Amino acid sequence: MAFLVIISSVFFGLQVNVHSWLGIGIILTATHLYMNVALRAPPK
Amino acid sequence: MLTALLLALVACGPCRKQLGTLVSDFGNMSAYAQQTGAFCVLVATMVVAMLLFKLCQVGGTYTFSPASSVALTEMCKLALALFLHARINGARDAAAWSEGVTARVLVHYALLSAGYTANNQMAFYILRSADPGSLALFKSTAPYLVALMLRCTGQRISELQYVAVIINCLAIGVVQYDVCKGAGLLPRKVYVMMTVATLLTATTSVWNQKIVKGFAVPVNLQNAILYTYGTIFAVLSFVLLPEEKPVGFLEGYGPLAALLVIFQAFHGLAVTLVYKYADASAHAHPSSHPRPHPLSHHLTSPPPPLLTSPAQSSRTLPTRR
């Protein structure tokens, strides 16, 4: 996703600024957090 | 277009042994190297798959019909599924070609395939206006939607996971909102299409997981039925739905458009390899692989559970540590 955002900002005119990069960082962190919790959850 | 397809098929023959050696060598690497390699393959595959949609465009539009592209992709997959069911599963008689197939199964496959086909075609229209990064950001909510839908069937979601879902949605708002304009970066129509596509992805994922996977139909036959329906729906949409610039079924296909068809048809193999060698966490994006690839069950055992929530994937996928 981050790669696609970088490529989109360079080649496809996606507007990015400090806020949006922070948002992308938060999305990646939230996904990582979600995955970690899901993977460590005990089986049903 | 046809030449490219034939070349790809011819090239597959002599490469089979080398491919087998490559896969075997990959299997002998350390767990860390396997996971890193699988992750890189997955990232590269997903990036190329999305970028090809953009690279095929000329002046912000396609020179070919998106419906025909989806139909050709479905035909490639159908040919592979039929070949595998006939040759590898040894299906010779009528009984082998109708094993476990009932009217109920056919109705489910038809509806599921309609959802997949609509989703696949929508990707073309979304990426005509949106950039791949925005679509990837939006689609990052799909695993959460799948998990929330599975919550209704009894799967547990912890408070921390709910927090992650909320933070993720807020962050997408931060990325996509233009403060100066007081609106989103993209037209409202595109956001509606992306929402529908993401909901469709999540719904078909849960449907596949909860209902269709329970049918006692061999994987290749199941794929063949799905791809047959997919081909029919795509051809019907080509014939019935109006296009801005009407073109013939095989008109406007350059090398990149042909590559898009081939890549869409066969990139599932790379994802299947990732399932085999990577940890479940490497594959967090259900939208990346809408349905089982015809070769999936020959590369992995058991077949990869597609479009599942991360929590479920972790319990079903074969992992190598």
Side-chain angles (χ1 to χ4, degrees), chain B residues 143-166:
Chain B
Y144 304 126
L145 282 174
V146 171
L148 290 173
M149 285 181 183
L150 287 172
R151 174 74 188 84
C152 302
T153 64
Q155 185 181 294
R156 207 180 72 84
I157 300 179
S158 71
E159 289 79 6
L160 201 54
Q161 284 175 293
Y162 279 118
V163 171
V165 173
I166 293 165

Side-chain angles (χ1 to χ4, degrees), chain A residues 8 26-27 31 34-35 37 39 43, chain B residues 133 144 147 158 167-168 314-315:
Chain A
S8 296
I26 291 168
I27 291 170
T31 307
Y34 183 95
M35 294 302 300
V37 175
L39 291 171
Chain B
Y144 304 126
S158 71
I167 290 174
N168 191 71
S314 67
R315 291 198 289 276

Side-chain angles (χ1 to χ4, degrees), chain A residues 1 3-5 7-8 12 14-15 19-20 23-24 26-27 30-31 33-35 37-39 41-44, chain B residues 43 51 54 131-134 136-137 144 147 154 158 160-161 164 167-168 171-172 174-175 178 281 310 314-315:
Chain A
M1 184 187 73
F3 279 117
L4 281 170
V5 171
I7 292 168
S8 296
F12 303 118
L14 175 66
Q15 294 170 35
H19 272 115
S20 51
I24 291 160
I26 291 168
I27 291 170
T31 307
L33 173 77
Y34 183 95
M35 294 302 300
V37 175
L39 291 171
K44 231 182 349 181
Chain B
V43 169
L51 285 180
K54 270 293 190 196
D131 55 275
S134 295
L137 276 172
Y144 304 126
S158 71
L160 201 54
Q161 284 175 293
I167 290 174
N168 191 71
I172 289 174
V174 170
V175 176
D178 187 339
S281 59
S314 67
R315 291 198 289 276

Side-chain angles (χ1 to χ4, degrees), chain B residues 234-271:
Chain B
V235 171
L236 279 177
S237 66
F238 172 78
V239 175
L240 300 175
L241 296 182
E243 292 272 355
E244 273 176 34
K245 200 178 75 177
V247 286
F249 193 79
L250 292 175
E251 200 182 327
Y253 281 92
L256 279 172
L259 187 63
L260 176 69
V261 171
I262 294 165
F263 204 83
Q264 290 292 317
F266 299 105
H267 89 280
L269 279 177
V271 180

